[in-house]
Amino acid sequence: MSEMTREDALETIASIVKDVKFAMLTTTTAEGHLHARPMTTQEKEYDGDLWFIGAKDSEAVADMRARPQVNVSFSNPSKGSYLSITGTAELPTDPDKLDELWSDMYKIYFEGGKQDPNIQLIKISSHGAEFWEGDGKIRTLFEMAKGLVTRQQPDLGKNDTVKL
């Protein structure tokens, strides 16, 4: 870990997660290929765990059941914020957690609502994260252009890696 404290890193990670509506969840397929798919970010404070709602009969859930090591990435280009979290997926059954995470938006995917037997909670226990924060698109473009002219490394903001 660099000079940033774990608490500062968690605060930065939480702010990036909060600002991004959809994350990309990457699993490893049975053939050994990496497969990323969008998942709706839950409206809860990041505490080291990420939660998603998926379908029991989906390829993603089958991948996680067999190979639980995953990556979740978040991107907010307008703010210059990017985050990559590595972790282990669990597939719990927890009616109280489902109540906490459920929104009517999920009725689009699950005809039976919260009682649909195909609903699968997905919990990602984070092991580590890397994030990048810049000053936004205009500042980043300016720094890149300046770097091309001066042939010096542009200042694109802060980057840190943290073990969770």
Side-chain angles (χ1 to χ4, degrees), residues 102-164:
W102 183 262
S103 81
D104 285 341
M105 185 252 336
Y106 287 110
K107 288 181 181 177
I108 296 167
Y109 305 104
F110 302 104
E111 290 179 13
K114 272 194 280 188
Q115 285 69 43
D116 193 305
N118 198 33
I119 291 175
Q120 178 63 66
L121 287 175
I122 301 167
K123 177 184 178 184
I124 310 297
S125 298
S126 305
H127 299 301
E130 185 168 7
F131 58 85
W132 301 262
E133 283 192 308
D135 293 325
K137 195 175 195 178
I138 300 296
R139 170 99 171 123
T140 298
L141 289 173
F142 171 78
E143 285 292 329
M144 290 173 74
K146 183 174 117 181
L148 286 172
V149 171
T150 64
R151 298 197 188 282
Q152 294 179 0
Q153 185 73 23
D155 177 8
L156 300 178
K158 68 179 174 179
N159 166 243
D160 209 340
T161 301
V162 61
K163 186 173 182 173
L164 299 172

Side-chain angles (χ1 to χ4, degrees), residues 15-66:
S15 72
I16 295 171
V17 169
K18 184 179 180 182
D19 282 345
V20 179
K21 183 67 178 157
F22 298 99
M24 294 298 288
L25 171 63
T26 303
T27 61
T28 304
T29 67
E31 296 79 23
H33 301 281
L34 298 176
H35 185 176
R37 62 212 23 102
M39 300 294 284
T40 303
T41 303
Q42 299 302 312
E43 294 179 14
K44 82 183 255 350
E45 193 68 28
Y46 174 79
D47 62 2
D49 295 329
L50 295 167
W51 287 88
F52 299 102
I53 296 176
K56 286 181 182 174
D57 64 358
S58 68
E59 181 184 9
V61 168
D63 289 347
M64 287 180 276
R65 188 172 288 114

